[in-house]
Amino acid sequence: MSLPDLYPGFETVTVDVGEVTLFARVGGPIGAPAVVLAHGYPQSHAMWHRIAPKLAETLRVVVVDLRGYGQSSVPAPEERHAQMSKRRMGADIVALMAKLGAERFAFVGHDRGARVGYRLGFDQPERLTGLVLIDIVPTPVMWERMDATFSRKVYHWSFLAQAAPVPETLIAKAPIEHLFQTLAGWTVDKDLSAFDPGALAHYRAYFRDPARIAACCEDYRAGATIDVEHDEADRRAGRRITVPTQIIWGSVGLPADAKARESGPLTVWRDWCETLEGGPVEGGHFLAEENPEATLALMQPFLARVAR
């Protein structure tokens, strides 16, 4: 089945980065400063279709499916879910960009993609010109906030991290219903009106695949184990991200629990980043689709500065 082309004028590439092959769309002026756009759960590269063309007017834009998601390949399971660690996902991006001729690049990530981005900021800061992290707080902080109220809001963190094959089996009974409930539930309007039908077709196509459902679960299992270990090691050592970082969050997004509303995610991130700016956007969790204009208004000036 052919899927809608949400990126007319963009090149389609599938690149072998060693452990996996990554699917990406590439557009913008050849030789311009490069930026990677990475999606979150339960989405794919399609989520950036209202953002990428504008960025591609001045930047070389690479819109990627993370390993296990979308049209990228699914890695074989490993002990401690290491194959879906954000460290390995970040290494994928570095290898992809090197093969595309960009040794340094800016990175924009939403949700799980943002977790890949900040891990890359710790592991390989020399590769990055800047980081934009959308609607997250650091993984250990998310787990530390899991009181009765917040855990109901982000129930999927615990559900997807349960031992295989429990979440895989339950999701497989009604995968599209689960997908659409998740997408709708994290928007302001609690429906699918924010999503383009073409983007929904992309999300449906990969979410019907049991191997990719399993990869999503492995992503969250890594987020409950090995990713926390990597983050805590940096926190104990007093390391901070030195790359210029912008934080964008939804006014009623997933990190907007009571603690976040008191001070905003910037307060949390100041303990993790040396150079920090950012602000809220009116919307829920899926800002690139719910409110792309306001998201671009924050993101574009920052990316222009770090590109220089």
Side-chain angles (χ1 to χ4, degrees):
M1 179 185 71
S2 62
L3 291 168
D5 184 0
L6 299 176
Y7 298 93
F10 277 55
E11 180 185 1
T12 300
V13 299
T14 302
V15 179
D16 185 342
V17 296
E19 297 177 351
V20 292
T21 58
L22 297 185
F23 176 90
R25 302 298 301 274
V26 183
I30 295 173
V35 58
V36 175
L37 306 182
H39 62 87
Y41 174 85
Q43 298 180 288
S44 71
H45 77 282
M47 66 160 284
W48 299 107
H49 69 99
R50 293 172 179 157
I51 297 282
K54 283 289 187 182
L55 294 180
E57 292 173 2
T58 56
L59 300 171
R60 189 67 169 163
V61 177
V62 178
V63 193
V64 65
D65 282 339
L66 298 171
R67 60 164 60 195
Y69 286 84
Q71 298 176 64
S72 292
S73 66
V74 178
E78 297 180 19
E79 291 185 5
R80 301 174 65 245
H81 322 292
Q83 83 283 359
M84 292 300 285
S85 72
K86 307 310 160 289
R87 175 164 287 165
R88 298 276 278 278
M89 288 182 171
D92 289 345
I93 299 300
V94 170
L96 169 68
M97 295 305 288
K99 290 201 170 185
L100 294 178
E103 294 297 326
R104 299 190 75 224
F105 51 90
F107 186 101
V108 178
H110 172 255
D111 189 80
R112 310 308 288 178
R115 299 185 190 285
V116 175
Y118 85 76
R119 174 42 46 199
L120 193 51
F122 276 119
D123 290 348
Q124 301 192 60
E126 70 282 0
R127 298 290 191 179
L128 299 176
T129 58
L131 269 174
V132 179
L133 309 177
I134 301 179
D135 213 54
I136 69 162
V137 293
T139 299
V141 176
M142 284 290 286
W143 287 115
E144 290 161 5
R145 288 183 172 181
M146 290 289 178
D147 59 16
T149 300
F150 192 53
S151 63
R152 286 195 298 271
K153 183 176 183 178
V154 294
Y155 74 93
H156 63 292
W157 275 60
S158 295
F159 170 62
L160 296 172
Q162 294 301 307
V166 171
E168 291 95 329
T169 301
L170 293 175
I171 292 171
K173 299 293 185 183
I176 306 309
E177 289 81 355
H178 175 84
L179 168 68
F180 284 177
Q181 180 182 2
T182 300
L183 291 171
W186 297 344
T187 67
V188 169
D189 295 329
K190 305 304 180 189
D191 60 29
L192 297 175
S193 61
F195 303 100
D196 184 275
L200 291 175
H202 278 266
Y203 306 150
R204 278 197 307 269
Y206 98 79
F207 217 77
R208 286 193 177 103
D209 181 357
R212 296 179 194 282
I213 293 173
C216 292
C217 296
E218 283 291 287
D219 179 2
Y220 276 85
R221 291 178 188 123
T225 53
I226 192 168
D227 292 339
V228 175
E229 293 171 15
H230 292 159
D231 286 0
E232 291 289 12
D234 285 317
R235 186 153 64 166
R236 285 194 303 273
R239 288 190 285 269
R240 301 170 80 202
I241 295 168
T242 58
V243 178
T245 303
Q246 182 183 60
I247 308 298
I248 299 174
W249 65 96
S251 58
V252 292
L254 291 191
D257 64 331
K259 294 177 183 176
R261 283 195 297 272
E262 292 168 6
S263 54
L266 281 178
T267 299
V268 174
W269 281 105
R270 286 192 183 102
D271 292 335
W272 296 71
C273 303
E274 289 187 2
T275 306
L276 192 64
E277 61 185 80
V281 168
E282 287 297 319
H285 182 55
F286 300 108
L287 297 177
E289 287 157 297
E290 291 184 73
N291 197 345
E293 296 83 3
T295 304
L296 275 165
L298 278 177
M299 184 191 303
Q300 278 187 302
F302 174 80
L303 290 174
R305 290 201 312 273
V306 299
R308 288 197 299 270

